[in-house]
């Protein structure tokens, strides 16, 4: 497959970005009360940069860049959950999806083509493109690992003013590790259940007075009872001019994987409830099944610090993402036709394996420039953030590259039977999708009185997309505006109260909603963007002398013009006639209760969620998709994650936690329920020395059998009891 060529628009856009940021800087700058020469300011900035920490100290985070520019979390008038590197390490959250499973409000749709569609407050994240890396949009379809993550941030609620299209439920930002001004290295080896072997390395070199190199790497091999895992990755980052007026960074990321996927387990329904009966570790696919691909991107960044404290940060990223799936859809029955549910299960119950295949290749170019500064004007203090971002995505897809079904069957009692099927499919025929987006935004937080801040922001996006099939093509363009307003009351250093309103939109021209139908069916091209809004009232507190952060908020998220098929012109038009909402409470706790006792808790309560309007008709049998009045699928009332550790002695630390989700419906199956579940995780750690640490993790200690990712007709079980022993060496 040939590499997609990129359009020669980057240099003009780079100049535009720089010009836009510099113009904003010139407008915003006001002379300080006591002029300070840039030369005298530099040592102060460098001293702060030298104090950078590796980010492994605790579970508490106090600042972020998820809101554009570096901000204190208390200054963001929305719920934010941060999973720090230490929490990731303590819980052994090696897979990105495991990180999200430890965050309240998140559920998973197990899609037809093997991707897990991540939901936040019941609204899609990954299908709408709301997964980011260092504030820049990541691709929808790839495998992700945490070996290069410093932390993962979840911003909840509509946020199109910050990020553009998508973000009804919120966004997830993966923050990559950065090179620091120190010499510090770490190697971690883990062995575990399923013949799992994982080796990671984190090597940080101080290469000069203001320069550093950091290299992170991972290698993992696991048999996993037939659903094999094989991946390796490397992520070097070079920074120079750290803390100086001009700072530069060049980084590269490559993750390659060649796995055997456990695509699904079939439903076994008892009185309308999904009853997971097959052991979670059972793999019924073919040994010839595979999930292969790689993620590769390079990032260049430049930060210019002005003498008055302003900062202009410009980042360019070029990435290629390849993913190919050939898997087996597991069903009960005697043929590869429609699935049948037996009255009773036994080891002799037949299992069939229908093929499912998909090919996805994306080339994404992103340029982003942000300017931030604090200044006094009109007798008030302003905290300004402004900038632009441009993205160009060329994607090639074949969503149905399954091939001929195999007649080979198995039985419930013979998982991982070693059977395989020949691949006679040939080369896939690929559809082509191209999307370009230019966004401009401006946000200002104004201190109008001591402890009182008002926030206002506006973003404009110009979105263009085209879909090309072998026989036809169609396109769409939109110009969209996204406002954001809020108010904060901060009476002291430890309390911050906020109220906010923000909007979001999902364009008809994204990779999924713009999918082609039968010839002449271009209804997506005729449909404007869906729109959403989020209202929030909340507070953030610093407790125990600042060692712990508590955040809580009441929210209401509404998608008020959801796409519905027009019953009169179904082939050519959709209506923005639907509406749904989710109303609830978020609670986040992170930090130290005492110097030896750490805790993290994330809880989301959604007592009210409903399809308010829809033209979907109730199926004759009472099943099918949700209709008006129903609770949306994948929106449990309760979801929570708790983790805590305690240092018993200088050498011994113990920990444990819970993950809980209450019952929920699969999307598209209103009359079927997945039962609630709670899993228990345990940890014990022994430090031979400060630099040599042995750790034991037991995930799902009770071996709870439950349905984790849901789809109409099947589910992916939660991981079985997993035991991992890790040895970490620092030097």
């Amino acid at each position: 497959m040939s590499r997609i060529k990129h359009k020669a628009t980057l240099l003009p856009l780079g100049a535009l970005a720089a010009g836009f940021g510099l113009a904003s800087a010139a407008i915003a700058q006001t002379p300080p009360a006591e002029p300070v020469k840039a030369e005298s300011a530099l040592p102060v900035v460098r001293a702060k940069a030298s104090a950078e920490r590796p980010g492994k100290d605790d579970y508490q985070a106090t600042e972020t860049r998820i809101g554009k520019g570096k901000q204190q979390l208390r200054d963001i008038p929305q719920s934010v959950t941060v999973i720090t590197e230490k929490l990731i390490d303590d819980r052994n959250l090696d897979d990105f999806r495991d990180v999200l499973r430890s965050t309240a409000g998140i559920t998973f749709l197990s899609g037809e083509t093997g991707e897990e569609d991540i939901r936040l407050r019941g609204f899609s994240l990954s299908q709408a493109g709301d997964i980011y890396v260092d504030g820049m949009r990541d691709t929808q379809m790839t495998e992700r690992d945490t070996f290069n993550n410093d932390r993962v941030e979840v911003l909840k609620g509509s946020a199109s003013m910050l990020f553009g299209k998508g973000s009804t439920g919120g966004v997830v930002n993966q923050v990559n590790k950065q090179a620091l001004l120190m010499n510090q290295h770490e190697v971690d080896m883990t062995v575990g259940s399923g013949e799992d072997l994982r080796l990671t390395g984190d090597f940080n070199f101080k290469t000069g007075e203001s320069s550093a190199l950091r290299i992170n790497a991972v290698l993992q091999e696991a048999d996993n009872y037939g659903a094999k895992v094989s991946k390796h990755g490397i992520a070097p980052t070079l920074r120079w001019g750290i803390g100086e007026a001009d700072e530069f960074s060049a980084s590269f990321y490559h993750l390659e994987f060649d796995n055997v996927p456990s695509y699904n387990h079939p439903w076994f329904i008892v009185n309308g409830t999904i009853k997971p009966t097959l052991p979670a570790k059972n793999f019924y696919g073919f040994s010839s099944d595979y999930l292969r691909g790689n993620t590769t991107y390079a990032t260049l960044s430049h930060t210019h610090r002005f003498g008055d404290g302003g900062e202009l940060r410009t980042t360019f990223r070029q990435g290629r993402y390849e993913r190919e799936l050939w898997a087996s859809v597991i069903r009960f029955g005697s043929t590869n036709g429609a699935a049948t549910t037996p009255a009773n299960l036994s080891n002799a119950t037949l299992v069939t394996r229908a093929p499912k295949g998909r090919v996805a290749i994306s080339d994404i170019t992103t340029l982003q420039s942000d300017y931030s500064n604090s200044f006094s004007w009109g007798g008030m203090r302003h905290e300004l953030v402004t900038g632009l971002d441009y993205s160009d995505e060329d994607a090639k897809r074949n969503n149905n590259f399954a091939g001929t079904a195999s007649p080979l069957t198995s039985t419930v009692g013979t998982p991982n039977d070693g059977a395989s099927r020949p691949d006679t499919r040939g080369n896939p025929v690929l559809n082509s999708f191209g999307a370009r987006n230019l966004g401009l935004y401006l946000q200002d937080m104004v201190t109008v009185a001591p402890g009182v801040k008002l926030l206002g922001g506006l973003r404009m996006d110009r979105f263009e997309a085209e879909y090309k099939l072998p026989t036809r093509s169609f396109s769409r363009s939109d110009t969209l505006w996204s406002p954001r307003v809020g108010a904060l009351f901060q009476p002291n250093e430890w309390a911050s109260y906020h109220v906010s309103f923000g909007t979001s939109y999902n364009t008809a021209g994204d990779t999924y909603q713009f999918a082609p139908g039968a010839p002449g069916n271009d209804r997506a091209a005729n449909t404007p963007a869906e729109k959403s809004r989020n209202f929030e009232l909340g507070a953030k507190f610093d407790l125990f002398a600042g060692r712990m952060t508590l955040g809580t908020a009441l929210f209401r998220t509404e998608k008020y013009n959801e796409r519905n098929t027009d019953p009169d012109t179904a082939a050519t038009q959709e209506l923005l006639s639907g509406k749904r909402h989710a109303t609830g409470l978020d609670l986040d706790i992170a930090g130290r209760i005492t110097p030896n006792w750490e805790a993290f808790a994330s809880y989301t309560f959604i007592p009210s969620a409903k399809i308010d309007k829809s033209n979907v008709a109730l199926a004759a049998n009472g099943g099918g998709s949700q209709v008006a009045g129903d609770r949306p699928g994948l929106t449990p009332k309760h979801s929570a994650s708790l983790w805590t550790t305690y240092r018993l002695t200088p050498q011994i630390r113990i920990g444990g936690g819970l993950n809980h989700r209450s019952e929920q419906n699969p999307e598209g199956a209103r009359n079927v329920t997945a039962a609630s579940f709670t899993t228990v995780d345990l940890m014990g750690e022994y430090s031979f020395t400060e630099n040599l640490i042995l750790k034991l993790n037991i995930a799902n200690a009770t071996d709870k059998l439950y349905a984790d990712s849901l789809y109409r007709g099947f589910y992916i079980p939660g991981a079985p009891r997993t035991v991992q022993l890790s040895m970490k060496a620092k030097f």
Side-chain angles (χ1 to χ4, degrees):
M1 302 172 188
S2 61
R3 188 181 183 89
I4 300 172
K5 295 182 179 179
H6 300 286
K7 300 170 181 61
T9 58
L10 301 180
L11 289 178
L13 278 167
L16 178 60
F20 187 84
L22 289 171
S24 303
I27 294 171
Q29 288 178 15
T30 59
E34 296 181 8
V36 180
K37 294 182 180 180
E39 291 81 357
S40 64
L42 292 181
V44 177
V45 178
R46 182 179 294 131
K48 292 181 180 179
S50 299
E52 291 178 316
R53 300 180 301 173
K56 292 191 174 183
D57 297 304
D58 51 42
Y59 301 158
Q60 183 187 34
T62 58
E63 59 183 33
T64 177
R65 283 190 176 271
I66 198 170
K68 299 290 187 183
K70 185 179 290 187
Q71 289 180 283
Q72 296 293 312
L73 284 171
R74 72 196 306 263
D75 286 339
I76 297 178
Q78 285 181 241
S79 296
V80 183
T81 303
V82 180
I83 302 92
T84 64
E85 186 183 3
K86 184 176 184 183
L87 182 59
I88 291 172
D89 286 350
D90 279 355
R91 301 194 75 166
N92 266 18
L93 304 176
D94 300 330
D95 189 284
F96 175 71
R97 289 163 293 194
D98 291 335
V99 174
L100 297 183
R101 288 185 179 96
S102 69
T103 306
I106 289 183
T107 54
F108 297 87
L109 169 73
S110 178
E112 283 187 344
T113 48
E115 294 81 35
E116 285 184 315
D117 180 359
I118 302 163
R119 303 297 175 96
L120 178 55
R121 297 177 177 173
F123 298 93
S124 176
L125 284 178
S126 52
Q127 301 289 49
D130 292 325
I131 309 296
Y132 289 77
V133 176
D134 293 330
M136 304 180 79
R137 194 182 300 272
D138 204 15
T139 188
Q140 290 101 327
M141 288 175 293
T142 188
E143 299 297 300
R144 299 178 175 94
D145 192 281
T146 62
F147 79 98
N148 195 46
N149 285 161
D150 177 76
R151 62 190 181 276
V152 175
E153 306 167 325
V154 182
L155 176 69
K156 299 179 180 180
S158 301
S160 281
M161 193 243 97
L162 298 172
F163 297 100
K165 75 182 183 76
S167 58
T168 298
V171 300
V172 178
N173 184 42
Q174 306 159 83
V175 180
N176 281 338
K177 297 176 182 177
Q178 294 296 311
L180 307 173
L181 290 176
M182 62 178 66
N183 289 307
Q184 180 172 295
H185 315 300
E186 179 178 300
V187 175
D188 196 329
M189 184 177 72
T190 300
V191 295
S193 304
E195 301 180 26
D196 186 19
L197 173 63
R198 180 180 172 90
L199 183 65
T200 60
D202 184 350
F203 309 98
N204 195 101
F205 305 90
K206 182 179 179 181
T207 58
E209 182 183 359
S210 62
S211 61
L213 170 67
R214 190 169 185 176
I215 302 173
N216 280 271
V218 64
L219 173 65
Q220 183 171 1
E221 298 287 339
D223 177 78
N224 201 25
Y225 315 104
K228 297 180 180 179
V229 175
S230 177
K231 58 184 175 181
H232 60 270
I234 190 166
T237 301
L238 177 65
R239 287 175 72 195
W240 63 99
I242 298 174
E244 297 179 353
D246 287 287
E247 180 177 320
F248 300 87
S249 174
S251 64
F252 178 78
Y253 180 96
H254 178 76
L255 179 68
E256 193 162 332
F257 50 92
D258 187 358
N259 306 330
V260 177
S262 184
Y263 189 90
N264 75 294
H265 280 188
W267 282 359
F268 188 76
I269 307 297
V270 178
N271 296 326
T273 300
I274 301 171
K275 294 292 185 181
T277 54
L278 306 177
K281 66 182 180 181
N282 281 16
F283 170 71
Y284 292 100
F286 289 110
S287 61
S288 51
D289 291 355
Y290 62 82
L291 174 59
R292 297 172 183 158
N294 63 80
T295 294
T296 305
Y297 58 81
T299 307
L300 300 174
S301 179
H302 169 237
T303 300
H304 178 73
R305 300 180 176 95
F306 296 90
D308 67 343
E311 181 179 284
L312 176 64
R313 181 185 178 94
T314 302
T315 306
F316 170 78
R317 176 173 296 156
Q318 175 66 55
R320 184 173 178 85
Y321 309 83
E322 299 179 347
R323 184 181 187 274
E324 183 172 357
L325 172 79
W326 197 36
S328 298
V329 182
I330 309 305
R331 295 168 172 165
F332 295 128
S334 59
T335 70
N336 278 312
T340 59
T341 301
N344 296 289
L345 285 179
S346 70
N347 284 340
T349 301
L350 283 176
V351 170
T352 64
R353 296 172 277 201
K356 177 66 69 174
R358 178 169 195 163
V359 179
I361 305 170
S362 295
D363 288 277
I364 302 177
T365 303
T366 308
L367 178 66
Q368 183 169 303
S369 188
D370 305 305
Y371 173 78
S372 60
N373 200 359
S374 298
F375 58 94
S376 295
W377 182 72
M380 293 180 287
R381 191 68 179 170
H382 297 256
E383 297 173 53
L384 178 75
V385 183
T386 184
L388 64 80
D389 51 63
Y390 173 80
S391 64
D392 187 327
E393 177 179 2
D394 286 305
K396 295 184 183 296
R397 302 280 189 269
N398 187 319
N399 295 344
N400 188 18
F401 190 51
T404 305
S406 169
L408 296 177
T409 61
S410 185
T411 65
V412 166
T414 56
N416 194 22
D417 62 3
S420 64
R421 59 184 169 190
D423 187 355
T424 59
R425 295 173 296 167
N427 293 324
V429 176
L430 300 176
N431 300 325
S432 176
F433 175 83
R436 291 158 299 283
N437 191 88
L438 176 64
L440 305 171
Y441 77 92
L442 174 68
Q443 176 180 279
D444 192 12
M445 181 180 287
V446 185
T447 301
V448 297
V452 180
K453 299 178 180 179
L454 299 181
L455 175 75
L458 184 65
R459 178 185 173 103
M460 185 279 292
D461 282 280
R462 177 63 180 176
F463 178 80
E464 298 178 350
E466 57 182 355
Y467 217 128
K468 294 182 180 179
L469 286 74
T471 56
R472 68 190 193 279
S473 64
F474 40 94
S475 62
R476 178 167 185 87
S477 62
D478 293 277
T479 299
L480 294 142
W481 296 87
S482 302
R484 184 192 193 204
V485 294
L488 298 102
F489 175 53
Q490 298 172 337
N492 49 53
E493 292 298 319
W494 58 268
S496 178
Y497 305 89
H498 69 262
V499 60
S500 66
F501 168 79
T503 66
S504 64
Y505 65 88
N506 297 99
T507 58
D510 64 45
T511 310
Y512 296 90
Q513 300 292 352
F514 211 15
N521 181 352
D522 58 352
R523 64 191 188 201
N526 294 330
T527 309
E530 296 177 307
K531 295 183 180 180
S532 305
R533 55 197 171 206
N534 184 75
F535 306 86
E536 185 168 312
L537 174 66
K540 297 183 176 76
F541 305 99
D542 292 329
L543 307 177
F544 305 116
R547 295 192 306 265
M548 173 169 282
T549 300
L550 183 152
T552 185
L554 298 171
F555 66 85
R556 181 178 177 89
T557 302
E558 299 176 346
K559 181 175 283 189
Y560 57 89
N561 62 345
E562 190 171 35
R563 293 185 194 98
N564 279 184
T565 301
D566 186 341
D568 297 323
T569 58
T572 59
Q573 182 70 49
E574 290 185 344
L575 299 176
L576 296 177
S577 59
K579 182 180 179 181
R580 69 172 67 195
H581 78 268
T583 303
L585 167 74
D586 279 327
L587 177 67
D588 288 285
I589 298 172
R592 295 179 184 269
I593 301 172
T594 71
N596 292 327
W597 184 9
E598 293 183 88
F600 169 87
S602 177
Y603 172 65
T604 297
F605 175 46
I606 307 179
S608 175
K610 188 168 70 172
I611 305 291
D612 299 295
K613 295 180 182 179
S614 175
N615 65 3
V616 176
L618 180 65
N621 63 359
S625 298
Q626 277 86 7
V627 299
D630 284 351
R631 187 179 182 90
L634 299 165
T635 314
K637 285 187 178 181
H638 302 275
S639 60
S641 178
L642 170 67
W643 179 259
T644 184
T645 64
Y646 191 83
R647 186 170 294 280
L648 297 172
T649 72
Q651 289 78 34
I652 299 175
R653 190 164 65 104
I654 60 173
L658 304 172
N659 283 326
H660 172 79
R661 285 204 296 271
S662 59
E663 66 178 26
Q664 56 183 321
N665 295 100
E667 189 174 83
R670 62 184 302 276
N671 60 332
V672 176
T673 300
S676 64
F677 66 86
T678 302
T679 61
V680 179
D681 300 335
L682 301 172
M683 183 207 80
E685 181 184 88
Y686 183 81
S687 301
F688 296 96
T689 67
E690 184 180 350
N691 296 323
L692 187 62
I693 302 170
L694 182 68
K695 181 164 63 76
L696 176 69
N697 285 86
I698 305 176
N700 192 6
T702 63
D703 205 20
K704 177 71 175 179
L705 185 58
Y706 64 96
D708 181 30
S709 301
L710 304 175
Y711 195 66
R712 54 180 183 271
F714 60 76
Y715 71 96
I716 297 176
R721 180 192 296 119
T722 303
V723 180
Q724 295 176 311
L725 185 65
S726 304
M727 178 67 78
K728 180 183 298 182
K730 303 177 183 179
F731 53 96

